[in-house]
Amino acid sequence: MEAFYRQLDDTWFESTPMTAGPWSPEFQHAGPPSALLARQMLAVDPKEGQRLADVRIDILGPVPVAELEITTEVLRSGRSMELVAATASAGGRPALLARAWRILAAPADYPLVPGRRDPGDPRIRPGDLPAAKQTSTIPGAHTGGYGTAVEWRFIEGGDRKPALVWGRQRNALVEGEEPTGWQRALVLADSGGGVSLPVDPKQHRLINCDLHVVLDREPSGEWIRMNSQSIVTPGQGGVVHTELTDEHGGIGYGLQTMVAQNIG
């Protein structure tokens, strides 16, 4: 399957039709470019022992399926923690802004602090579940591109309810490279609002203007489970909260700020 991007040089990438999201074959799903920005932020002036800890993406507008220029900058340099920024521009216009913390990995003998994560059901594996019969709940949606690159297997939800769903990226992010765990998480996490869409998209719009993902460990394997719920307070605003898990347990969390509008 074709990759999301082909690298042209150190800063330029060709977007393939696989990046296209559900709204139009001309505009990208925000998951692939978010992962591409994370790739570039991890690569700029790397330090031994540091790991990517969190990634925050601000979506400035639709991202065209076109060549992207990715520029990076170290905002705060240091041995134990660094703040890195990146911008994805198309046609000279910034489309996505990103910031990420790269921090020194915790010592291997540091005490385990598991918190109160949802442990899930270890008996349920993605390969035991039927593949989703549709890739979008948006009427007239473009079902190619991202819709064919990502496979979903629902445990529950997917019908205007909170969703518990396994997903996997079936192609490469950048041609010729195996996706990292972080890249796989970002490609999927931006779909938290899509898999848990709680309203009729013919009457109401609920779209995200950002994505914030925090992982305390690198995901292992192709499959990532998303426990996603959309929340909207009429007269106020909305948020999507996603708990991320791989087949070994919890890996982190995703948040999206949602713009809620009536149509017509």
Side-chain angles (χ1 to χ4, degrees):
M1 184 178 293
E2 189 176 30
F4 286 126
Y5 301 101
R6 298 185 186 95
Q7 186 163 7
L8 304 177
D9 61 22
D10 289 345
T11 60
W12 284 92
F13 295 82
E14 178 188 357
S15 306
T16 75
M18 298 304 294
T19 61
W23 302 105
S24 166
E26 298 180 359
F27 295 109
Q28 300 189 40
H29 190 284
S34 296
L36 184 62
L37 286 170
R39 175 188 184 269
Q40 296 303 97
M41 287 189 290
L42 186 60
V44 60
D45 192 21
K47 301 291 192 304
E48 184 177 356
Q50 286 186 352
R51 59 174 295 270
L52 201 61
D54 91 317
V55 173
R56 286 155 287 170
I57 306 290
D58 291 308
I59 304 169
L60 304 184
V63 183
V65 179
E67 290 186 3
L68 297 181
E69 181 183 20
I70 311 296
T71 56
T72 56
E73 179 185 5
V74 178
L75 300 178
R76 193 268 193 197
S77 182
R79 190 184 68 84
S80 61
M81 62 185 74
E82 291 193 320
L83 183 61
V84 185
T87 302
S89 299
R93 178 187 66 83
L96 294 179
L97 301 178
R99 289 195 305 167
W101 280 105
R102 300 188 318 203
I103 66 172
L104 195 65
D109 59 353
Y110 196 88
L112 174 65
V113 184
R116 291 190 292 180
R117 278 175 160 156
D118 173 13
D121 187 341
R123 296 169 299 175
I124 298 177
R125 290 290 178 258
D128 299 330
L129 299 166
K133 294 182 180 179
Q134 61 180 13
T135 58
S136 178
T137 57
I138 302 169
H142 172 62
T143 56
Y146 182 92
T148 59
V150 174
E151 179 181 0
W152 300 106
R153 298 193 177 222
F154 282 85
I155 300 173
E156 59 186 56
D159 49 2
R160 298 184 195 165
K161 299 176 184 176
L164 188 60
V165 58
W166 286 100
R168 67 165 174 165
Q169 175 186 342
R170 301 169 61 206
N171 62 338
L173 178 70
V174 176
E175 188 176 61
E177 296 181 3
E178 180 70 19
T180 68
W182 248 109
Q183 291 168 10
R184 291 183 183 278
L186 285 165
V187 165
L188 293 177
D190 188 68
S191 291
V195 297
S196 65
L197 184 66
V199 293
D200 183 351
K202 294 180 181 179
Q203 302 182 46
H204 309 286
R205 184 175 292 121
L206 191 63
I207 58 175
N208 62 303
C209 59
D210 66 2
L211 173 66
H212 186 186
V213 175
V214 179
L215 301 181
D216 59 271
R217 71 172 175 86
E218 188 89 359
S220 175
E222 290 185 320
W223 291 93
I224 292 175
R225 196 190 72 177
M226 297 172 56
N227 188 353
S228 298
Q229 57 176 323
S230 296
I231 302 166
V232 180
T233 300
Q236 299 292 323
V239 66
V240 172
H241 177 273
T242 298
E243 185 170 6
L244 299 165
T245 305
D246 65 13
E247 293 193 62
H248 302 288
I251 57 175
Y253 303 89
L255 283 174
Q256 296 168 282
T257 305
M258 307 303 288
V259 180
Q261 298 172 306
N262 292 325
I263 297 175

